[in-house]
Amino acid sequence: MAVAPEAVRAVVSAARRRGGVVVVDLPRRVDETVVEALEQLDLCLLVVPPELRAVAGARRVASAAGLVLRDLRVVVPTGARPKGLGGLEAEEVAGLLGLPLAGEVPWEPDLVTAQTAGVPPGGAVRGPLARFCAAFWDRMPVDAPGGGV
């Protein structure tokens, strides 16, 4: 079931009015609904595995998203990768996309299992994703817009 762009506009706008950071997890395809969400974001992190096929797919997404985004950056999962991932360095991924590298996040092998158990991504306080997020926000300027990621 598709979500109407007007509904996305209302929900994201309401969340931004409450203050703080608004995190929106978007699909790979860029349609009217996704464009509506992107137009309201101050910063978008595009997660791209370090492989050529992923970079090719991300290039299409980045091209479309870049038309409406002010700040688009790349995050590359690294480290102990599942079978099939690997081949490129994080800097190469960012360079091939022509986007700044926001950072690398170590692969979190228990992420899918944790989600199945109801634990959100980054919910393991000492996990790689939580550590990446904490470090990322520590690097953000205090006066940076805090409306959405």
Side-chain angles (χ1 to χ4, degrees):
M1 177 177 176
V3 177
E6 299 80 20
V8 169
R9 180 182 315 119
V11 170
V12 175
S13 293
R16 287 178 60 101
R17 282 191 302 273
R18 289 194 44 90
V21 175
V22 177
V23 177
V24 182
D25 186 8
L26 298 171
R28 285 180 233 164
R29 73 185 186 303
V30 179
D31 60 14
E32 289 178 25
T33 302
V34 170
V35 168
E36 182 60 48
L38 291 172
E39 287 177 341
Q40 296 190 56
L41 301 182
D42 297 314
L43 165 67
C44 182
L45 300 178
L46 183 61
V47 179
V48 183
E51 60 182 12
L52 285 176
R53 281 181 65 181
V55 171
R59 179 171 282 222
R60 288 188 297 276
V61 172
S63 176
L67 296 174
V68 294
L69 281 168
R70 292 178 294 258
D71 190 353
L72 177 60
R73 305 178 196 185
V74 178
V75 174
V76 179
T78 61
R81 301 176 183 119
K83 187 175 183 178
L85 287 182
L88 299 172
E89 295 296 323
E91 294 81 10
E92 290 176 297
V93 172
L96 289 167
L97 293 170
L99 296 170
L101 179 64
E104 300 175 43
V105 61
W107 183 257
E108 193 161 348
D110 298 329
L111 189 62
V112 174
T113 305
Q115 284 184 292
T116 304
V119 177
V125 178
R126 290 188 172 84
L129 182 56
R131 287 193 315 269
F132 167 81
C133 292
F136 178 78
W137 286 118
D138 284 345
R139 291 190 316 266
M140 291 298 292
V142 174
D143 61 344
V149 174

